Amino acid sequence: MDGIKYNALYYGFCRILLCRHHISLVFDKLPNPLAPNTYQNPALGNDGDTYNITINEGSCNTDLYIKGTNMENSSSGYSLGAGNLTWSNTSNAYSSSFNMTQAYNPLKIDAAPLTNITTWYWLNVPPIYAANYNGTVFIQGVKSGSAPP
């Protein structure tokens, strides 16, 4: 076998992604404590436009959706419905806000890479047992035009 060169063939796996979703979030908590029977309480970062969602470079156009959970106090068993939290993606004006729901709702549709979306939040506290309540806000992105989450 003199003069014959051996070649090796390596099989590999390549995964090609159509696009990716790379989102940066900057958030803070709501003011604490709040008195029962107070309304339109702004989140701490509203005045500084603190609550930002950025579609990072290299991402595809993205549809963003938002939802929240009820806010619970595990000791008392009381809860505040998700709808007591309101949000806006247009201005720091309560009148422009939407009630949070437990189902995903559109936050921003067809956001291009390098888009920054500033959001603002308010909490309405009905007459309820004064305590600490915990809840979660979810923000999810999908490829623009895809089915909502």
Side-chain angles (χ1 to χ4, degrees):
M1 296 207 139
D2 288 335
I4 298 176
K5 295 188 179 185
Y6 294 95
N7 289 322
L9 179 60
Y10 295 98
Y11 292 94
F13 175 75
C14 179
R15 183 174 174 194
I16 299 172
L17 300 174
L18 295 175
C19 67
R20 65 187 176 109
H21 302 286
H22 189 223
I23 301 169
S24 296
L25 301 170
V26 177
F27 278 83
D28 199 352
K29 62 183 180 177
L30 292 168
N32 192 18
L34 293 173
N37 205 28
T38 60
Y39 299 89
Q40 302 179 21
N41 297 290
L44 294 174
N46 278 10
D47 285 338
D49 296 343
T50 301
Y51 308 107
N52 292 293
I53 306 157
T54 302
I55 310 301
N56 293 325
E57 185 175 11
S59 295
C60 55
N61 284 24
T62 302
D63 295 343
L64 292 171
Y65 294 87
I66 187 169
K67 75 174 183 176
T69 64
N70 291 337
M71 293 154 271
E72 309 282 343
N73 177 276
S74 57
S75 300
S76 70
Y78 287 103
S79 69
L80 284 167
N84 287 291
L85 181 66
T86 67
W87 62 274
S88 175
N89 61 352
T90 57
S91 75
N92 185 12
Y94 179 82
S95 61
S96 72
S97 69
F98 301 95
N99 290 79
M100 189 69 68
T101 68
Q102 293 184 61
Y104 278 111
N105 286 292
L107 176 89
K108 178 74 173 175
I109 300 299
D110 200 25
L114 300 179
T115 298
N116 179 69
I117 300 101
T118 300
T119 56
W120 298 268
Y121 301 86
W122 296 266
L123 185 61
N124 295 310
V125 184
I128 193 170
Y129 179 76
N132 290 324
Y133 292 82
N134 294 305
T136 304
V137 172
F138 296 91
I139 296 173
Q140 181 158 343
V142 299
K143 182 181 175 188
S144 185
S146 298

